[in-house]
Amino acid sequence: NFLSVNSITIDATHNIIYAAISFGVIKSVDGGTTWSNITGNLSFNIFSVAFDSTNPLVLYAATAVQIQKTIDGGASWADSDSGYPRTRIASLVANPTQPSTLFIGTTSSSDAFVTKVSAAGASQIYSTFLGGNVLDQGNGIAVDTSGNAYITGVTGSNDFPTANAFQSTKADIVPFNSTDAFITKLNASGSAFVYSTFLGADGTDSGRAIAVDTNGNSYVCGSTASFFFPVVNAFQPQNPSIFTNGFVTK
């Protein structure tokens, strides 16, 4: 019923077991025989739980990039990550002797990159990262006659770099493990964006391939699980199912 369990935390002092699951946090006070849901208004897909060893009503829960706290045993949760740089969280633990002190274990996520190599393959003409603070992946690239590079892929980063964007912010309504497609045009020297934009909506979206015509228009195809994927002049204006569908964007 819980889809997946991401981690287990045991509060031996109060004989409580906490499980971070796909849809929140559950706990057991009888050794795992029965479980109760203490998710409240917590974000989905919790990766780890930490507890205050002096007060069983105080708990911390971590998503991939967010920390939330409850002071009433899970009835309500609030953000508790002021100043946190939003790098990906792998683990979370409270200092047992100073439970107001939290330790976060982080992990790096991949960035996309774009590299231009000389005709003989002997040197790089330019090479650059392309991404934000979470997962970014380049899936397709095209080049026009002026040497500008067009890249599409998938990003989970809210801070993916944008410029002259028709969609300047990531559109997912779920703040974890969700992605938008991106479309980026680099100038011929690789030193600056001509434009860079998100492309997506409420679900998981990914750019898979890109092409460019003689007028500099780019054509992107990919996959989307969004019901509200942005459409313009569409021959199929609605997602016909609850599953992933393809998209084509000019």
Side-chain angles (χ1 to χ4, degrees), residues 213-230:
D213 65 21
T214 55
N215 294 317
N217 300 303
S218 60
Y219 301 76
V220 179
C221 68
S223 61
T224 177
S226 295
F227 287 106
F228 304 106
F229 188 86

PDB file of all heavy atoms in Angstrom, residues 213-230:
ATOM      1  N   ASP A 213      16.116  24.187 -38.852  1.00  0.00           N
ATOM      2  CA  ASP A 213      15.976  24.438 -40.277  1.00  0.00           C
ATOM      3  C   ASP A 213      16.848  25.619 -40.696  1.00  0.00           C
ATOM      4  O   ASP A 213      17.564  26.210 -39.883  1.00  0.00           O
ATOM      5  CB  ASP A 213      14.504  24.645 -40.664  1.00  0.00           C
ATOM      6  CG  ASP A 213      13.864  25.890 -40.043  1.00  0.00           C
ATOM      7  OD1 ASP A 213      14.595  26.820 -39.647  1.00  0.00           O
ATOM      8  OD2 ASP A 213      12.620  25.946 -39.962  1.00  0.00           O
ATOM      9  N   THR A 214      16.786  25.978 -41.978  1.00  0.00           N
ATOM     10  CA  THR A 214      17.655  27.029 -42.513  1.00  0.00           C
ATOM     11  C   THR A 214      17.315  28.413 -41.975  1.00  0.00           C
ATOM     12  O   THR A 214      18.121  29.336 -42.087  1.00  0.00           O
ATOM     13  CB  THR A 214      17.575  27.049 -44.046  1.00  0.00           C
ATOM     14  OG1 THR A 214      16.203  27.188 -44.441  1.00  0.00           O
ATOM     15  CG2 THR A 214      18.122  25.755 -44.636  1.00  0.00           C
ATOM     16  N   ASN A 215      16.130  28.552 -41.393  1.00  0.00           N
ATOM     17  CA  ASN A 215      15.734  29.830 -40.802  1.00  0.00           C
ATOM     18  C   ASN A 215      16.057  29.921 -39.315  1.00  0.00           C
ATOM     19  O   ASN A 215      15.740  30.942 -38.676  1.00  0.00           O
ATOM     20  CB  ASN A 215      14.236  30.057 -41.012  1.00  0.00           C
ATOM     21  CG  ASN A 215      13.868  30.230 -42.475  1.00  0.00           C
ATOM     22  OD1 ASN A 215      14.564  30.916 -43.211  1.00  0.00           O
ATOM     23  ND2 ASN A 215      12.774  29.596 -42.884  1.00  0.00           N
ATOM     24  N   GLY A 216      16.653  28.896 -38.764  1.00  0.00           N
ATOM     25  CA  GLY A 216      17.011  28.911 -37.359  1.00  0.00           C
ATOM     26  C   GLY A 216      15.907  28.462 -36.423  1.00  0.00           C
ATOM     27  O   GLY A 216      16.062  28.549 -35.195  1.00  0.00           O
ATOM     28  N   ASN A 217      14.789  27.972 -36.971  1.00  0.00           N
ATOM     29  CA  ASN A 217      13.738  27.407 -36.121  1.00  0.00           C
ATOM     30  C   ASN A 217      14.169  26.032 -35.633  1.00  0.00           C
ATOM     31  O   ASN A 217      14.729  25.241 -36.398  1.00  0.00           O
ATOM     32  CB  ASN A 217      12.422  27.276 -36.909  1.00  0.00           C
ATOM     33  CG  ASN A 217      11.915  28.598 -37.433  1.00  0.00           C
ATOM     34  OD1 ASN A 217      11.697  29.534 -36.680  1.00  0.00           O
ATOM     35  ND2 ASN A 217      11.733  28.675 -38.754  1.00  0.00           N
ATOM     36  N   SER A 218      13.909  25.754 -34.392  1.00  0.00           N
ATOM     37  CA  SER A 218      14.258  24.437 -33.852  1.00  0.00           C
ATOM     38  C   SER A 218      13.013  23.578 -33.709  1.00  0.00           C
ATOM     39  O   SER A 218      11.916  24.085 -33.452  1.00  0.00           O
ATOM     40  CB  SER A 218      14.966  24.576 -32.496  1.00  0.00           C
ATOM     41  OG  SER A 218      14.150  25.233 -31.545  1.00  0.00           O
ATOM     42  N   TYR A 219      13.202  22.277 -33.863  1.00  0.00           N
ATOM     43  CA  TYR A 219      12.126  21.304 -33.784  1.00  0.00           C
ATOM     44  C   TYR A 219      12.526  20.266 -32.735  1.00  0.00           C
ATOM     45  O   TYR A 219      13.587  19.635 -32.853  1.00  0.00           O
ATOM     46  CB  TYR A 219      11.905  20.617 -35.130  1.00  0.00           C
ATOM     47  CG  TYR A 219      11.561  21.565 -36.255  1.00  0.00           C
ATOM     48  CD1 TYR A 219      12.551  22.354 -36.853  1.00  0.00           C
ATOM     49  CD2 TYR A 219      10.251  21.686 -36.719  1.00  0.00           C
ATOM     50  CE1 TYR A 219      12.235  23.232 -37.881  1.00  0.00           C
ATOM     51  CE2 TYR A 219       9.931  22.557 -37.746  1.00  0.00           C
ATOM     52  CZ  TYR A 219      10.930  23.330 -38.320  1.00  0.00           C
ATOM     53  OH  TYR A 219      10.622  24.205 -39.340  1.00  0.00           O
ATOM     54  N   VAL A 220      11.692  20.116 -31.711  1.00  0.00           N
ATOM     55  CA  VAL A 220      12.013  19.241 -30.595  1.00  0.00           C
ATOM     56  C   VAL A 220      10.932  18.178 -30.465  1.00  0.00           C
ATOM     57  O   VAL A 220       9.733  18.478 -30.552  1.00  0.00           O
ATOM     58  CB  VAL A 220      12.108  20.037 -29.270  1.00  0.00           C
ATOM     59  CG1 VAL A 220      12.430  19.115 -28.109  1.00  0.00           C
ATOM     60  CG2 VAL A 220      13.140  21.141 -29.393  1.00  0.00           C
ATOM     61  N   CYS A 221      11.358  16.953 -30.262  1.00  0.00           N
ATOM     62  CA  CYS A 221      10.405  15.900 -29.927  1.00  0.00           C
ATOM     63  C   CYS A 221      10.836  15.260 -28.617  1.00  0.00           C
ATOM     64  O   CYS A 221      12.011  15.319 -28.230  1.00  0.00           O
ATOM     65  CB  CYS A 221      10.285  14.859 -31.030  1.00  0.00           C
ATOM     66  SG  CYS A 221      11.766  13.849 -31.278  1.00  0.00           S
ATOM     67  N   GLY A 222       9.874  14.689 -27.915  1.00  0.00           N
ATOM     68  CA  GLY A 222      10.189  14.081 -26.636  1.00  0.00           C
ATOM     69  C   GLY A 222       8.990  13.393 -26.046  1.00  0.00           C
ATOM     70  O   GLY A 222       8.053  13.007 -26.764  1.00  0.00           O
ATOM     71  N   SER A 223       9.007  13.238 -24.736  1.00  0.00           N
ATOM     72  CA  SER A 223       7.927  12.548 -24.047  1.00  0.00           C
ATOM     73  C   SER A 223       7.399  13.428 -22.921  1.00  0.00           C
ATOM     74  O   SER A 223       8.135  14.214 -22.330  1.00  0.00           O
ATOM     75  CB  SER A 223       8.416  11.211 -23.473  1.00  0.00           C
ATOM     76  OG  SER A 223       9.459  11.417 -22.533  1.00  0.00           O
ATOM     77  N   THR A 224       6.102  13.263 -22.638  1.00  0.00           N
ATOM     78  CA  THR A 224       5.476  14.044 -21.572  1.00  0.00           C
ATOM     79  C   THR A 224       4.409  13.222 -20.869  1.00  0.00           C
ATOM     80  O   THR A 224       3.658  12.474 -21.506  1.00  0.00           O
ATOM     81  CB  THR A 224       4.854  15.348 -22.108  1.00  0.00           C
ATOM     82  OG1 THR A 224       4.202  16.026 -21.022  1.00  0.00           O
ATOM     83  CG2 THR A 224       3.840  15.088 -23.210  1.00  0.00           C
ATOM     84  N   ALA A 225       4.356  13.368 -19.558  1.00  0.00           N
ATOM     85  CA  ALA A 225       3.272  12.804 -18.761  1.00  0.00           C
ATOM     86  C   ALA A 225       2.375  13.913 -18.225  1.00  0.00           C
ATOM     87  O   ALA A 225       1.546  13.676 -17.340  1.00  0.00           O
ATOM     88  CB  ALA A 225       3.837  11.978 -17.607  1.00  0.00           C
ATOM     89  N   SER A 226       2.526  15.115 -18.755  1.00  0.00           N
ATOM     90  CA  SER A 226       1.768  16.276 -18.288  1.00  0.00           C
ATOM     91  C   SER A 226       0.400  16.367 -18.966  1.00  0.00           C
ATOM     92  O   SER A 226       0.295  16.200 -20.180  1.00  0.00           O
ATOM     93  CB  SER A 226       2.544  17.568 -18.572  1.00  0.00           C
ATOM     94  OG  SER A 226       3.734  17.629 -17.836  1.00  0.00           O
ATOM     95  N   PHE A 227      -0.621  16.655 -18.170  1.00  0.00           N
ATOM     96  CA  PHE A 227      -1.940  16.922 -18.742  1.00  0.00           C
ATOM     97  C   PHE A 227      -2.015  18.314 -19.342  1.00  0.00           C
ATOM     98  O   PHE A 227      -2.806  18.569 -20.248  1.00  0.00           O
ATOM     99  CB  PHE A 227      -3.019  16.761 -17.668  1.00  0.00           C
ATOM    100  CG  PHE A 227      -3.288  15.334 -17.289  1.00  0.00           C
ATOM    101  CD1 PHE A 227      -2.848  14.834 -16.079  1.00  0.00           C
ATOM    102  CD2 PHE A 227      -3.975  14.482 -18.150  1.00  0.00           C
ATOM    103  CE1 PHE A 227      -3.099  13.518 -15.727  1.00  0.00           C
ATOM    104  CE2 PHE A 227      -4.224  13.163 -17.811  1.00  0.00           C
ATOM    105  CZ  PHE A 227      -3.786  12.673 -16.591  1.00  0.00           C
ATOM    106  N   PHE A 228      -1.177  19.229 -18.812  1.00  0.00           N
ATOM    107  CA  PHE A 228      -1.254  20.630 -19.235  1.00  0.00           C
ATOM    108  C   PHE A 228       0.004  21.054 -19.991  1.00  0.00           C
ATOM    109  O   PHE A 228       0.410  22.217 -19.919  1.00  0.00           O
ATOM    110  CB  PHE A 228      -1.495  21.521 -18.015  1.00  0.00           C
ATOM    111  CG  PHE A 228      -2.719  21.138 -17.228  1.00  0.00           C
ATOM    112  CD1 PHE A 228      -2.593  20.497 -16.005  1.00  0.00           C
ATOM    113  CD2 PHE A 228      -3.979  21.386 -17.728  1.00  0.00           C
ATOM    114  CE1 PHE A 228      -3.714  20.128 -15.274  1.00  0.00           C
ATOM    115  CE2 PHE A 228      -5.108  21.017 -17.015  1.00  0.00           C
ATOM    116  CZ  PHE A 228      -4.985  20.387 -15.784  1.00  0.00           C
ATOM    117  N   PHE A 229       0.609  20.122 -20.694  1.00  0.00           N
ATOM    118  CA  PHE A 229       1.770  20.453 -21.515  1.00  0.00           C
ATOM    119  C   PHE A 229       1.410  21.614 -22.449  1.00  0.00           C
ATOM    120  O   PHE A 229       0.324  21.620 -23.036  1.00  0.00           O
ATOM    121  CB  PHE A 229       2.201  19.235 -22.322  1.00  0.00           C
ATOM    122  CG  PHE A 229       3.498  19.425 -23.049  1.00  0.00           C
ATOM    123  CD1 PHE A 229       4.703  19.169 -22.420  1.00  0.00           C
ATOM    124  CD2 PHE A 229       3.514  19.854 -24.373  1.00  0.00           C
ATOM    125  CE1 PHE A 229       5.907  19.348 -23.093  1.00  0.00           C
ATOM    126  CE2 PHE A 229       4.708  20.032 -25.044  1.00  0.00           C
ATOM    127  CZ  PHE A 229       5.911  19.783 -24.395  1.00  0.00           C
ATOM    128  N   PRO A 230       2.303  22.616 -22.585  1.00  0.00           N
ATOM    129  CA  PRO A 230       1.951  23.796 -23.401  1.00  0.00           C
ATOM    130  C   PRO A 230       1.804  23.450 -24.884  1.00  0.00           C
ATOM    131  O   PRO A 230       2.738  22.933 -25.499  1.00  0.00           O
ATOM    132  CB  PRO A 230       3.131  24.747 -23.162  1.00  0.00           C
ATOM    133  CG  PRO A 230       4.262  23.873 -22.707  1.00  0.00           C
ATOM    134  CD  PRO A 230       3.636  22.738 -21.962  1.00  0.00           C
TER     135      PRO A 230
END
